[in-house]
Amino acid sequence: VLVFIVAPTEATMGDVQRVLYLHVSVAWCGLAACLVMGVCAALFLGSRRLEWDHWSQASAEVGWLCATLTLATGSAWAHEAWGTWWTWDPRLTSSLILWIIYAGIIVVRGSIDDPYRRGRIGAVLAIIAMSDVPLVVMATRWFRGVHPVAPEMDPSMRWILLACVLMFTLMFFYLIVLRRRQLGFAERVAQREAELWWSRATANN
Amino acid sequence: MTTLVFTYLVAWLFIGGYVLRLAIDHHRLIRRMAEIDGDVEATPHELARGKHVA
């Protein structure tokens, strides 16, 4: 409602500029999820408690979701603003690298059955992934490209952008909490399955 | 305007798809736990909270 009705129409780009509210929000959430993923991964390595690994995995999944949305919304906006769906701008390239890292972590995790081994390897990858965050944030300042750095905007637009960022952050954090809870439950189910298998095996012998 | 609406629509469908996946996985896990314990009296909420974990 804020984006479509309250936010003023931008003079140069028109309605399509409203993609900004979604694009910036999901981009921020993607970066924040990467930091949460890395910190939880480090905590898992330090404590070997699977709860931290579940936080890390949940953040990786939600972060991948946000990174995908960042690339998709940015691409749609770039098509209108720059006349191309994609260009090898430093900000875009570093965001694509983040997406690939997220996807890689999810694929690697999915291929390992042992939860502690999965957690260890996932944690190392998650900590490496964190190094891409400053690159994405500073890409527009460190390198020359077409992506805007921090454009001036009307105060009403800035407040709506802030509200959108806050709402999306809360929503994605809730999704991380839900997913983490589910991963904990899946772990308990796996333990019960193992107990059942063991009790049947001993009964047969 | 078409690009704007299409972008928001696709984004929300994508987020909705993830939420749907969470719901399906959750339902599958609850059914599996009920199968293991053979307890039909426990509510899905109790199962999810780990009522059956020894």
Side-chain angles (χ1 to χ4, degrees), chain A residues 3-4 15-23 26 58 61-62 64-66 68-69 72-73 76-77 79-80 164 168 171-172 175 178-179 181-183 185-186 188-189 191-193 195-196, chain B residues 1-12 14-19 21-37 44 46-54:
Chain A
V3 170
F4 284 92
D15 276 326
V16 78
Q17 183 269 346
R18 293 173 204 270
V19 171
L20 167 106
Y21 304 107
L22 177 63
H23 179 67
V26 290
E61 289 180 14
V62 173
W64 177 83
L65 181 82
C66 294
T68 308
L69 288 175
T73 54
W77 196 7
H79 185 253
E80 297 294 316
C164 282
F168 274 100
M171 185 186 76
F172 284 122
L175 281 183
L178 283 182
R179 180 64 179 141
R181 204 178 290 168
Q182 190 180 65
L183 287 167
F185 184 41
R188 291 204 301 272
V189 172
Q191 276 173 10
R192 291 287 295 142
E193 274 179 333
E195 283 168 19
L196 192 70
Chain B
M1 193 68 180
T2 313
T3 307
L4 176 70
V5 173
F6 185 72
T7 307
Y8 272 83
L9 196 68
V10 168
W12 281 111
F14 201 57
I15 295 167
Y18 184 73
V19 173
R21 185 225 146 164
L22 283 185
I24 291 168
D25 271 3
H26 192 65
H27 186 69
R28 183 180 56 78
L29 285 168
I30 285 170
R31 282 189 60 181
R32 183 69 193 125
M33 189 62 119
E35 277 170 20
I36 291 170
D37 289 330
E46 285 169 338
L47 284 164
R49 293 280 170 208
K51 183 190 168 191
H52 294 265
V53 179

Side-chain angles (χ1 to χ4, degrees), chain A residues 6 15 58 61 73 76 103 105 128 138 140 144 147 156 183 196 199:
Chain A
V6 181
D15 276 326
E61 289 180 14
T73 54
I105 288 173
I128 293 170
M138 300 306 289
T140 51
R144 195 178 297 167
H147 195 285
S156 62
L183 287 167
L196 192 70
S199 61

Side-chain angles (χ1 to χ4, degrees), chain A residues 60-171:
Chain A
E61 289 180 14
V62 173
W64 177 83
L65 181 82
C66 294
T68 308
L69 288 175
T70 307
L71 293 178
T73 54
S75 191
W77 196 7
H79 185 253
E80 297 294 316
W82 305 331
T84 178
W85 294 102
W86 180 262
T87 174
W88 293 101
D89 171 87
R91 173 64 69 83
L92 273 67
T93 309
S94 53
S95 299
L96 179 65
I97 291 169
L98 185 67
W99 183 87
I100 292 169
I101 292 171
Y102 270 136
I105 288 173
I106 292 168
V107 169
V108 168
R109 279 180 162 283
S111 65
I112 303 169
D113 286 334
D114 179 46
Y116 286 94
R117 188 157 174 264
R118 182 173 59 219
R120 272 199 313 276
I121 294 172
V124 172
L125 292 174
I127 291 166
I128 293 170
M130 276 206 300
S131 63
D132 191 45
V133 174
L135 201 64
V136 176
V137 175
M138 300 306 289
T140 51
R141 295 172 204 273
W142 288 347
F143 311 105
R144 195 178 297 167
V146 287
H147 195 285
V149 182
E152 284 294 312
M153 60 172 74
D154 189 78
S156 62
M157 285 180 174
R158 188 170 292 130
W159 278 112
I160 291 169
L161 177 62
L162 207 64
C164 282
V165 169
L166 190 70
M167 300 285 265
F168 274 100
T169 305
L170 289 174
M171 185 186 76

Side-chain angles (χ1 to χ4, degrees), chain A residues 39-54 56 115-121 123:
Chain A
V39 169
C40 292
L43 287 168
F44 169 74
L45 284 181
S47 67
R48 302 283 163 170
R49 288 178 61 191
L50 276 177
E51 292 90 35
W52 290 119
D53 183 50
H54 294 155
S56 184
Y116 286 94
R117 188 157 174 264
R118 182 173 59 219
R120 272 199 313 276
I121 294 172

